[in-house]
Amino acid sequence: MHKDDRNRIKHFTTLKSKYQATQYQDLLPTSLLYLVLRKVDLGIKLNTLEMKWLREQKLEFICQEQEDKLKDFVQLGVEFSQLKSKYKATPHSVSWQYNPLYFILWKIESGQFLSSEEVDWLSSNGLSQTKAIAQDIQQFIQLKFKYKATQYQDSYPDSPLYQILKKLEIAERLNDFEYKFLIDNKLLETAKCFEQQESEKKNIFAQLIEKYQAKQYSALSLSTPLYPILQKIEAQNNLSESEINWLQQQGLSETITIAQELEKTREFAALKVKYNATRYEDCSPKSHLYKVLKRLELDSKLSEQDLNFMKNRKLTETIAIANQKYSNSLKSKIELGKTLNESEIQWLKNNGYEDIITLFQKQYFIMLKKKYGLIDSTNKLTLEPFYQILLKLEKNERLDPILFFKLVEQDLLSRDGKVALKYYSLEAEFYVQEFQRTGNKWHIPTASSYWRKANKSEQALQLTNLDLNQIKDNTLKSAILVTRGAAFRDIGQLIDTEICAKKAMKYHPLSYQPYTLMGAIAYDKGDYPNGDYWFKEAIQRGAKTEDIDDEIKRVIRNTKDEEKRQTAVAYLLKKDSKRYAWAKAYLKKSQDKG
């Protein structure tokens, strides 16, 4: 007989014995019973023909065995679903028959600890909730052993006992409900652990009251706010404002003083480490170094007194950190678009931070150019002299007039731009101050002229509103009247302008300026022949033809009525097209608009 046949016969004999079918005599491996028993043993459902055949052979009990096995199979699936639901593993949908999850869940259910390999499997399959529950159960079981509560059967984390044991683990006080739960469930030894903790806490509380001078507080219950406050002080943690207020309400000022002193001591120690000042041995917050480091922490610039204090104690590293910290704060200030004051810039110079000064100058130059209307899209304008010019204007300092007019002539500065207006204002203010300082009235027409150039004709009028009878010099009177009349002209009061001009002529008939002003008035009114008459009189008294032409140019440029401008342009070109060739530009503009 072949070896395989012998093994099959042996297996068949075992199955017949297992399923109590020994009365069936056939032992051949080809027997139908052998096929049926093998299927039953493997849990494979029998078909109707096989069931019928068993009944014919009076082996119906095997059918029942098969049904029982199938029921067990189904029950395993039901239990698996229940475990998945209980331990939050429902996202995992793989069949239980070929998956480690069933084994792991059963292990959790039986109260056994998972291996690291099994924990890793849960993590890798996205079962973080299941893993957390397993870990909670493991901790729960350990706590039950530690606090003598093993007779309590439930080990699922939602049990009230688990929360109670966790409280005991961190020595947190149980409430009345939790203590009653222990007594009701006959967990007397666990309750005793709690009582022992309470006794120890009361002893500690008494020691803390003594240590932090809170004896006058009469309520010594552990439920009082004083206990956690003293614990906090003992743990070297800072008190909150509400806790300090509570101590004040209880009259525990000495406790507050101790707590604040300890807080400052801790802060001082931390600051010494942070700023490399640990070689300084004094740890008392009353030390001057504590105040210095506190100021340093607030980004304040250290005073000379503070620096000398540190130098005398050879705290060079602390000084270096302080300087770096302050320089960084100045750099941040620049990057936020803020300006530095003179003392800050001087500090940077004294301490060698030229790079930050350069950064400030570039940023500040951009801001000043924008403020004063300097268009510099190609960065053609250099720090020298333009930055220094703008810096002076910002400080209300006068500019070098030679440099200013040179830049104007080179078209690097506009004659009537914001820089020029500021320049004229500063000049006007200077001459007003000189007049007030010296009493020299010749500064009045000079200052008035600059006020006008600065587009501040009202201030020119205010300055020249004088009683001329108090002035003896007729030439000065004429000069004041001319500049006052020009200011009236600026604001469109031509009648007052003419009055001033004619009075100026009487005081100084040989001066060309009143005549030039009369010519300008005539042109403003559109009376061009009369204007030419007055301009001719001015030239006879010393006015330059170029200056007269410049005045006419200003009239044409400032005329707002386009029709009036074209009339003036036509008059000038007809009069002398070569001399007034510049007027053609205005004529062309009119044609372009048309």
Side-chain angles (χ1 to χ4, degrees), residues 456-520:
K456 295 179 180 179
S457 299
E458 293 289 352
Q459 287 178 255
L461 289 171
Q462 184 178 351
L463 178 65
T464 56
N465 186 18
L466 304 169
D467 180 3
L468 295 182
N469 293 325
Q470 302 295 320
I471 300 174
K472 295 179 180 180
D473 188 341
N474 285 341
T475 303
L476 175 57
K477 289 180 182 179
S478 177
I480 292 174
L481 285 166
V482 168
T483 187
R484 182 171 176 79
F488 276 126
R489 181 186 168 217
D490 292 337
I491 61 174
Q493 296 184 18
L494 297 183
I495 294 175
D496 291 322
T497 305
E498 191 170 340
I499 291 171
C500 288
K502 288 180 177 179
K503 281 184 179 180
M505 289 177 187
K506 290 180 181 179
Y507 284 122
H508 191 9
L510 297 179
S511 172
Y512 65 83
Q513 291 175 332
Y515 295 89
T516 303
L517 183 56
M518 285 296 292

Side-chain angles (χ1 to χ4, degrees), residues 63-81:
C63 294
Q64 186 61 44
E65 184 76 26
Q66 215 263 346
E67 288 176 8
D68 292 342
K69 279 204 168 196
L70 288 174
K71 286 180 182 178
D72 285 344
F73 186 86
V74 172
Q75 184 60 29
L76 283 171
V78 171
E79 290 174 3
F80 179 52
S81 296

Side-chain angles (χ1 to χ4, degrees), residues 92-104:
H92 202 77
S93 58
V94 179
S95 173
W96 61 268
Q97 301 170 58
Y98 314 106
N99 195 282
L101 181 60
Y102 201 168
F103 175 77
I104 293 173

Side-chain angles (χ1 to χ4, degrees), residues 325-515:
K325 197 169 190 289
Y326 185 58
S327 69
N328 288 341
S329 71
L330 294 181
K331 187 175 181 181
S332 297
K333 190 175 177 182
I334 295 166
E335 290 168 346
L336 289 171
K338 297 179 181 178
T339 61
L340 302 184
N341 57 42
E342 284 298 323
S343 65
E344 290 169 334
I345 294 170
Q346 192 60 48
W347 184 90
L348 290 170
K349 286 180 182 177
N350 294 342
N351 290 277
Y353 290 100
E354 296 297 331
D355 56 327
I356 298 179
I357 295 174
T358 302
L359 173 66
F360 168 69
Q361 289 176 338
K362 288 179 179 178
Q363 294 287 95
Y364 196 39
F365 189 26
I366 292 170
M367 189 179 76
L368 290 176
K369 284 191 289 185
K370 185 177 180 181
K371 179 177 180 179
Y372 288 99
L374 293 181
I375 299 171
D376 187 25
S377 55
T378 58
N379 292 320
K380 180 177 68 174
L381 302 180
T382 56
L383 286 176
E384 280 291 344
F386 294 98
Y387 175 66
Q388 296 304 325
I389 287 174
L390 298 180
L391 203 58
K392 276 193 167 189
L393 294 181
E394 195 65 10
K395 295 176 184 176
N396 291 320
E397 295 179 7
R398 296 174 70 209
L399 302 182
D400 176 359
I402 295 175
L403 174 61
F404 171 73
F405 287 109
K406 179 181 177 183
L407 294 173
V408 169
E409 290 298 324
Q410 294 174 349
D411 288 330
L412 293 172
L413 286 178
S414 169
R415 192 179 297 274
D416 53 3
K418 290 183 179 180
V419 173
L421 294 178
K422 180 74 173 182
Y423 168 76
Y424 298 139
S425 290
L426 291 173
E427 290 299 301
E429 289 169 358
F430 170 76
Y431 284 106
V432 168
Q433 290 168 2
E434 284 297 292
F435 162 62
Q436 293 170 345
R437 183 178 67 85
T438 64
N440 184 349
K441 291 184 175 62
W442 273 105
H443 291 312
I444 294 174
T446 305
S448 174
S449 176
Y450 278 119
W451 280 134
R452 287 187 56 240
K453 289 179 181 178
N455 292 337
K456 295 179 180 179
S457 299
E458 293 289 352
Q459 287 178 255
L461 289 171
Q462 184 178 351
L463 178 65
T464 56
N465 186 18
L466 304 169
D467 180 3
L468 295 182
N469 293 325
Q470 302 295 320
I471 300 174
K472 295 179 180 180
D473 188 341
N474 285 341
T475 303
L476 175 57
K477 289 180 182 179
S478 177
I480 292 174
L481 285 166
V482 168
T483 187
R484 182 171 176 79
F488 276 126
R489 181 186 168 217
D490 292 337
I491 61 174
Q493 296 184 18
L494 297 183
I495 294 175
D496 291 322
T497 305
E498 191 170 340
I499 291 171
C500 288
K502 288 180 177 179
K503 281 184 179 180
M505 289 177 187
K506 290 180 181 179
Y507 284 122
H508 191 9
L510 297 179
S511 172
Y512 65 83
Q513 291 175 332
Y515 295 89

Side-chain angles (χ1 to χ4, degrees), residues 38-212:
R38 285 167 68 192
K39 288 181 75 174
V40 171
D41 198 50
L42 292 171
I44 300 171
K45 187 176 182 180
L46 299 180
N47 58 46
T48 54
L49 292 175
E50 292 165 336
M51 299 281 280
K52 182 181 178 184
W53 183 83
L54 285 171
R55 292 189 191 94
E56 290 172 353
Q57 303 300 317
K58 301 190 185 304
L59 296 170
E60 295 92 339
F61 59 88
I62 295 177
C63 294
Q64 186 61 44
E65 184 76 26
Q66 215 263 346
E67 288 176 8
D68 292 342
K69 279 204 168 196
L70 288 174
K71 286 180 182 178
D72 285 344
F73 186 86
V74 172
Q75 184 60 29
L76 283 171
V78 171
E79 290 174 3
F80 179 52
S81 296
Q82 291 171 344
L83 289 173
K84 280 186 13 174
S85 177
K86 182 177 181 179
Y87 295 106
K88 314 294 183 189
T90 48
H92 202 77
S93 58
V94 179
S95 173
W96 61 268
Q97 301 170 58
Y98 314 106
N99 195 282
L101 181 60
Y102 201 168
F103 175 77
I104 293 173
L105 295 180
W106 198 275
K107 197 171 181 181
I108 296 171
E109 179 73 3
S110 66
Q112 298 182 55
F113 295 166
L114 299 185
S115 67
S116 58
E117 182 182 359
E118 290 161 344
V119 172
D120 291 342
W121 188 91
L122 290 173
S123 297
S124 62
N125 284 273
L127 298 171
S128 56
Q129 283 186 290
T130 309
K131 174 184 169 183
I133 293 171
Q135 290 171 336
D136 277 337
I137 289 173
Q138 183 172 331
Q139 184 186 17
F140 191 5
I141 293 169
Q142 290 171 334
L143 290 173
K144 285 202 290 185
F145 272 102
K146 183 174 181 179
Y147 293 101
K148 303 173 182 179
T150 50
Q151 70 267 38
Y152 190 80
Q153 296 301 313
D154 186 7
S155 293
Y156 200 74
D158 63 358
S159 166
L161 180 60
Y162 184 39
Q163 303 306 317
I164 291 171
L165 296 181
K166 284 201 292 186
K167 274 191 168 185
L168 290 178
E169 183 65 7
I170 59 173
E172 186 177 329
R173 197 163 191 272
L174 302 184
N175 58 41
D176 293 340
F177 170 80
E178 291 165 333
Y179 183 72
K180 186 174 182 298
F181 177 88
L182 295 177
I183 301 301
D184 291 347
N185 286 275
K186 297 187 171 26
L187 298 171
L188 303 181
E189 290 191 82
T190 310
K192 190 176 179 180
C193 291
F194 166 65
E195 291 162 2
Q196 186 176 349
Q197 281 187 357
E198 289 292 282
S199 177
E200 291 172 358
K201 287 177 186 176
K202 286 178 181 177
N203 290 334
I204 293 171
F205 189 18
Q207 293 169 6
L208 293 176
I209 288 173
E210 179 78 25
K211 182 175 181 178
Y212 296 110

